[in-house]
Amino acid sequence: MRPGRIDRALFLGLPDSQSRLEILKIHTKKVPHDRKDLEELVAKTEGFSGADLASLCGTASLMALRESLDATKVEKRHWELALSVHGPPKTSRVSLESCDRFASSSDLTSI
């Protein structure tokens, strides 16, 4: 990186299971659903970023509405469909390892 272009480089790792649950709760606050479905979803979203999870929540809501415009709740089947549409996490392990290598080889300090 050229000096003076970026003041700080911040690396935020991927959320752990508790963090993923909290992110899902935030993005489904106004969406009727079973809490149990979210807890099951946490296990299936290892490696997902916060942005991946936000996208997943939106997709599941759209799947429920696509099934019926009168849908009143996002069901487990909608989460499963959203996972299949979304695919694997968008942040690859290679990208994460690259960030780790960059941080360890530079003079960056942790905040």
Side-chain angles (χ1 to χ4, degrees), residues 30-37 60-79:
K30 296 181 181 180
V31 178
H33 64 282
D34 283 332
R35 178 179 163 86
K36 182 180 158 202
D37 291 342
S61 296
L62 289 173
M63 292 297 169
L65 289 173
R66 182 177 284 174
E67 185 178 279
S68 169
L69 289 176
D70 298 323
T72 58
K73 184 177 180 182
V74 174
E75 304 281 349
K76 184 176 183 172
R77 66 183 175 277
H78 303 127
W79 292 113

Side-chain angles (χ1 to χ4, degrees), residues 95-106:
S95 295
L96 293 172
E97 291 167 3
S98 176
C99 287
D100 287 340
R101 280 193 309 276
F102 174 76
S104 64
S105 68
S106 69

Side-chain angles (χ1 to χ4, degrees), residues 2-109:
R2 201 167 73 210
R5 302 302 278 167
I6 297 177
D7 290 334
R8 289 184 178 77
L10 297 176
F11 173 72
L12 301 175
L14 294 174
D16 61 11
S17 60
Q18 183 59 38
S19 298
R20 288 195 310 277
L21 180 59
E22 292 303 316
I23 292 167
L24 288 169
K25 284 180 188 177
I26 289 167
H27 289 285
T28 58
K29 190 184 327 186
K30 296 181 181 180
V31 178
H33 64 282
D34 283 332
R35 178 179 163 86
K36 182 180 158 202
D37 291 342
L38 291 187
E39 291 170 355
E40 290 177 15
L41 194 59
V42 166
K44 297 177 181 181
T45 55
E46 179 73 33
F48 278 54
S49 67
D52 289 332
L53 295 169
S55 174
L56 190 67
C57 291
T59 302
S61 296
L62 289 173
M63 292 297 169
L65 289 173
R66 182 177 284 174
E67 185 178 279
S68 169
L69 289 176
D70 298 323
T72 58
K73 184 177 180 182
V74 174
E75 304 281 349
K76 184 176 183 172
R77 66 183 175 277
H78 303 127
W79 292 113
E80 296 295 333
L81 280 169
L83 277 170
S84 68
V85 168
H86 188 276
K90 304 305 180 213
T91 306
S92 70
R93 291 286 171 201
V94 173
S95 295
L96 293 172
E97 291 167 3
S98 176
C99 287
D100 287 340
R101 280 193 309 276
F102 174 76
S104 64
S105 68
S106 69
D107 60 351
L108 299 177
T109 57

